[in-house]
């Protein structure tokens, strides 16, 4: 299931999966909204019959700045997507995974979560929170056969990463 808050992007990903011979469904959701997360998990389960894996691959840095220049709304927006969204999707899927006898959650963080300095203040701290969330879930849900891991990729040249590096 491909999920995005923009329908065209979710559909594009689903089409790529289908072009490679897979089965895919496109869903629209705002992962900072608990109701959207609950609906997303229910709809994905209905479409696929079960959910064995959740990959939380999301990150925004819109409005980010250094510690003294960052506006409170920018901080909140970044944390709502980068950290709260991963918690809400995981919270929604864990009861289903427990019922199924297990599953796996993979959270995408960044090596920037372990570095200081630069213009990505809130982004880096929110991804540090993702690391802590992952560790907590890994320990808490291991006894019910739910694995939770984080991947911390290095720099990847994407429009998102370039926005954080290119200063006006």
């Amino acid at each position: 299931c491909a999920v995005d808050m923009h329908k065209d992007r979710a559909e594009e990903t689903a089409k790529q999966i289908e072009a490679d011979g897979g089965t895919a469904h496109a869903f629209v959701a705002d992962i900072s909204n608990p109701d959207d997360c609950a609906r997303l998990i229910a709809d994905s389960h209905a479409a696929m019959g079960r959910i064995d894996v959740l990959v939380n691959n999301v990150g925004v840095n819109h409005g980010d700045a250094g510690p003294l220049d960052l506006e409170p709304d920018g901080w909140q927006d970044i944390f709502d997507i980068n950290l709260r969204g991963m918690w809400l999707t995981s919270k929604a899927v864990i009861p289903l995974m427990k019922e199924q006898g297990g599953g796996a959650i993979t959270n995408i963080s960044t090596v920037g979560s372990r570095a200081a300095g630069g213009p990505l203040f809130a982004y880096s701290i929110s991804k540090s929170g993702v690391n802590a969330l992952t560790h907590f879930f890994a320990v808490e849900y291991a006894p019910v056969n739910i694995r939770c891991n984080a991947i911390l990729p290095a720099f990847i040249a994407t429009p998102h990463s370039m926005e954080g590096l290119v200063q006006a």
Side-chain angles (χ1 to χ4, degrees):
C1 296
V3 182
D4 200 296
M5 63 187 308
H6 302 284
K7 184 177 182 178
D8 60 324
R9 295 193 311 208
E11 289 174 343
E12 180 183 347
T13 301
K15 286 177 187 172
Q16 289 174 357
I17 293 167
E18 290 170 345
D20 286 340
T23 301
H25 303 275
F27 294 105
V28 176
D30 174 356
I31 64 161
S32 68
N33 180 312
D35 293 335
D36 271 17
C37 291
R39 177 187 47 78
L40 167 65
I41 296 303
D43 290 352
S44 296
H45 184 255
M48 300 300 286
R50 59 185 290 126
I51 299 175
D52 295 306
V53 176
L54 169 67
V55 177
N56 283 311
N57 181 28
V58 66
V60 298
N61 63 3
H62 309 297
D64 208 349
L68 302 181
D69 297 320
L70 179 64
E71 295 295 327
D73 288 345
W75 170 278
Q76 194 61 54
D77 290 345
I78 291 166
F79 270 76
D80 282 350
I81 298 297
N82 295 2
L83 183 55
R84 182 177 189 212
M86 289 197 189
W87 165 58
L88 290 174
T89 55
S90 299
K91 179 181 178 185
V93 81
I94 285 173
L96 180 63
M97 287 181 171
K98 284 172 72 173
E99 184 179 303
Q100 293 177 172
I105 299 170
T106 300
N107 296 323
I108 308 302
S109 182
T110 175
V111 295
S113 66
R114 298 184 178 235
L120 297 177
F121 173 65
Y123 177 81
S124 297
I125 294 171
S126 69
K127 291 296 188 168
S128 294
V130 167
N131 301 346
L133 175 109
T134 301
H135 187 213
F136 189 94
F137 278 178
V139 171
E140 186 74 13
Y141 298 106
V144 292
N145 199 31
I146 298 173
R147 296 180 318 280
C148 191
N149 294 284
I151 297 173
L152 283 69
F155 180 79
I156 299 171
T158 65
H160 166 77
S161 62
M162 295 309 292
E163 288 171 9
L165 293 177
V166 178
Q167 304 267 332

